[in-house]
Amino acid sequence: MRLSALYIHPVKSCASLALDEAEVRPRGLAHDRRWLIVDTTGRFLTGRQLPALVRLRATPRADGLTLDAPDMPTLHVPHPPADAPRVQVQVWKDSVDAALADAAAAHWLTQWLGRPVRLVHMDPGARRPVRPDLSRPGDLVSFADSFPLLALSQSALDQLNAKLATPVPITRFRPNLVIDGCGSHAEDGWRRIRIGAVEFDVSRQCVRCVFTTVDTERGAPDPSGEPLNTLKGYRRGESGVTFGVHLIARGGGTLRVGDAVTVLA
């Protein structure tokens, strides 16, 4: 087995950014989901409510990131300074003390999305623990839904696409790591794996929602309800429709496309 693709999403729900290599950090891959768009109350916003977000391209820079979107000028957003205002933001049931990005980012995103929003950053002072029943004390997560990393086997996507009238790209499922060379959904049975020199605990299967139906090219829901409707036919379990697994790194290092993948337990 090998690592066949790497993706990050610098702003939660933005376009997937493919990489050849990525550094593993305690909260997940470097730059992955460290920025978040929130409404005026601090509640997180995602492609579930705003499908157009999948067409927002965020590119990390040493001093922040750049934002690109259809019919908008490119915007550079600097990292908030140490004395930047902080706001309590809500991600599902978690409250996170995040740093507020500058007003230009809020204005740009508000103009593009057509509703008042703000952009916040997960700096070192923003700590969000992983749910304690499925992690170790001290485990942290970014603005991802629940866990630091998401892995998916290429064969699982291939099996799904064989059932669909119109195949979907793997980016519909927002993975960080794509693994090739194993059986379809073999990852369901893994408990611990090593990729390159980095080991990971496999925490649980990923439960899927309507976000999988958002067409990443159009930034709009697929009227057919696919691929979620097809997945309901063969991937529904007690917890819901599952596709892929969540990981927590047990150490740091650099992952590279082509790295060997070994099942340890």
Side-chain angles (χ1 to χ4, degrees):
M1 296 187 293
R2 70 183 187 94
L3 183 65
S4 59
L6 277 167
Y7 294 98
I8 60 171
H9 310 83
V11 176
K12 186 176 177 69
S13 286
C14 75
S16 301
L17 184 62
L19 303 176
D20 293 326
E21 62 179 53
E23 183 182 348
V24 178
R25 296 182 178 173
R27 302 171 197 251
L29 297 183
H31 306 296
D32 185 54
R33 298 172 172 96
R34 300 303 201 275
W35 301 78
L36 176 69
I37 297 170
V38 298
D39 65 16
T40 55
T41 71
R43 182 75 180 174
F44 76 125
L45 295 171
T46 74
R48 300 170 183 87
Q49 307 102 325
L50 300 172
L53 284 180
V54 299
R55 302 185 72 194
L56 173 67
R57 184 172 179 84
T59 306
R61 293 171 37 142
D63 59 348
L65 80 167
T66 58
L67 298 179
D68 289 282
D71 303 316
M72 293 292 291
T74 297
L75 178 72
H76 171 235
V77 182
H79 286 132
D83 60 350
R86 305 191 72 83
V87 292
Q88 290 292 320
V89 300
Q90 195 74 20
V91 183
W92 298 115
K93 296 181 179 180
D94 297 334
S95 181
V96 184
D97 180 42
L100 187 64
D102 66 21
H107 176 77
W108 191 95
L109 288 165
T110 294
Q111 184 179 7
W112 180 55
L113 292 170
R115 60 177 291 179
V117 298
R118 295 184 291 178
L119 182 68
V120 298
H121 182 238
M122 179 173 275
D123 62 2
R127 298 179 63 82
R128 183 182 173 217
V130 182
R131 53 181 288 185
D133 58 324
L134 293 170
S135 64
R136 299 180 188 174
D139 286 341
L140 299 174
V141 60
S142 65
F143 287 128
D145 275 354
S146 52
F147 290 89
L149 296 111
L150 174 64
L152 181 65
S153 63
Q154 179 64 45
S155 57
L157 180 71
D158 294 343
Q159 180 188 41
L160 169 63
N161 278 336
K163 299 175 183 290
L164 295 174
T166 303
V168 297
I170 205 160
T171 50
R172 284 279 189 106
F173 299 96
R174 324 289 291 170
N176 296 116
L177 313 176
V178 182
I179 297 170
D180 204 359
C182 63
S184 179
H185 297 291
E187 62 269 31
D188 290 352
W190 300 344
R191 295 295 171 263
R192 191 174 179 90
I193 63 173
R194 182 172 59 242
I195 304 176
V198 184
E199 294 188 7
F200 300 85
D201 285 340
V202 182
S203 297
R204 65 175 296 179
Q205 295 177 28
C206 179
V207 179
R208 296 301 182 164
C209 69
V210 69
F211 196 12
T212 60
T213 69
V214 174
D215 186 320
T216 53
E217 294 295 322
R218 296 187 300 112
D222 188 325
S224 71
E226 294 294 5
L228 193 57
N229 283 342
T230 294
L231 286 171
K232 289 176 180 177
Y234 73 104
R235 290 294 299 175
R236 188 194 292 272
E238 291 183 2
S239 59
V241 175
T242 60
F243 203 76
V245 291
H246 294 294
L247 308 180
I248 300 175
R250 296 304 173 206
T254 301
L255 300 182
R256 296 176 176 86
V257 171
D259 278 350
V261 178
T262 304
V263 177
L264 303 176

